[in-house]
């Protein structure tokens, strides 16, 4: 079945540091890939998505590239801010899985001033 | 535009008691999801509705959980009787239609069963 594996947290960085959160997936079909973010006390919200191989999703300075050859969708940001402190979830959805969205376990990010 | 509304935000009950959660999705969204999120884990789908039809309830523990979406708008998720292991955050989400589309999440209901 489909699955998503992302790096364990917490990740603690200083402001303006470079961020990478690793995400790899297993899917029977050709999935769409997502990153959702959950800020403290709020619901999950979509950060970015990519629907086919080599697509790059980007939003708010975050980027992730759909790599079919390595089945990965790593999240990156060049310079993090304190306001980026949140939990980040990698997810996939594909037709072969009935469009059921599978989420990773989440990676908590702390950014220190 | 109003987001997904859930109530209550917090609920504490004793085991064997019933509990119900309510969700109002974004207006015009045909697809509604209920997820359970255990501490330190990602959301796991319990049931998905397309309008008023449950199209995926394979992960819903039907011996104690039930759900309904009357008129294809609001939805209620019920647990009866609750068990200690049901302590979790219950999330409701909606999207325009089923498929690889953005889901909009409510803030969740944190359930504690004592």
């Amino acid at each position: 079945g489909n699955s998503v594996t992302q790096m364990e947290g917490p990740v603690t960085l200083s402001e303006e540091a470079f961020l990478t959160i690793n995400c790899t997936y297993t899917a029977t079909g050709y999935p769409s890939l997502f990153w959702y973010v959950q800020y403290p006390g709020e619901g999950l919200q979509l950060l970015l998505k990519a629907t086919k191989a080599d697509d790059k999703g980007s939003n708010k300075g975050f980027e992730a590239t759909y790599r079919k050859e390595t089945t990965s969708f790593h999240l990156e940001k060049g310079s993090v801010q304190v306001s980026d402190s949140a939990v980040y979830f990698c997810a996939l959805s594909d037709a072969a899985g009935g469009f059921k969205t599978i989420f990773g376990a989440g990676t908590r990010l702390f950014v220190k001033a | 535009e109003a987001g997904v509304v859930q109530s209550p935000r917090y609920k504490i009950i004793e085991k064997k008691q019933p509990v119900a959660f309510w969700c109002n999705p974004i207006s015009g969204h045909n697809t509604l999801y209920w997820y359970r999120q255990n501490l330190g884990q990602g959301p796991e789908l319990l049931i998905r509705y397309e309008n008023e039809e449950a199209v995926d309830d394979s992960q819903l523990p039907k011996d104690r959980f039930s759900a309904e979406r009357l008129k294809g708008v609001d939805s209620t998720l019920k647990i009866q009787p609750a068990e200690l292991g049901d302590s979790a955050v219950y999330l409701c989400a909606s999207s325009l239609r089923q498929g690889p589309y953005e889901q909009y999440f409510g803030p969740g209901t944190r359930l504690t069963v004592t």
Side-chain angles (χ1 to χ4, degrees), chain B residues 38-87:
Chain B
N38 293 313
L39 189 63
Q41 299 297 316
E44 295 180 328
L45 183 70
L46 290 173
I47 188 168
R48 183 178 79 205
Y49 282 94
E50 198 63 32
N51 298 306
E52 62 272 14
E53 180 185 359
V55 296
D56 184 354
D57 62 356
S58 57
Q59 300 298 107
L60 190 72
K62 298 181 185 63
D63 57 335
R64 298 184 300 106
F65 286 64
S66 64
E68 61 182 9
R69 189 183 185 197
L70 299 176
K71 301 182 181 179
V73 182
D74 293 4
S75 178
T76 302
L77 177 69
K78 298 179 181 177
I79 308 175
Q80 182 171 12
E83 297 179 353
L84 294 176
D86 296 330
S87 295

Side-chain angles (χ1 to χ4, degrees), chain A residues 36 43-44 49 89 98-99 101 104, chain B residues 37 40 42 48 59 100 103 105-106:
Chain A
Y36 281 83
L44 279 76
K49 65 182 282 190
F89 294 93
F99 294 117
T101 302
Chain B
Q37 185 177 19
R48 183 178 79 205
Q59 300 298 107
Q103 294 179 33
F105 285 80

Side-chain angles (χ1 to χ4, degrees), chain A residues 7 13 17-23 35 47-48 56-67 72-80 84 88 109:
Chain A
M7 65 188 286
L13 296 173
F18 184 86
L19 168 70
T20 299
I21 300 178
N22 291 336
C23 171
W35 278 101
L47 180 60
L48 52 85
K56 178 185 285 188
S58 61
N59 186 26
K60 299 181 180 180
F62 291 88
E63 294 182 339
T65 301
Y66 189 142
R67 301 287 188 198
S72 65
F73 192 55
H74 304 323
L75 183 68
E76 297 182 335
K77 187 175 186 183
S79 176
V80 293
D84 294 325
Y88 293 82
L109 170 66

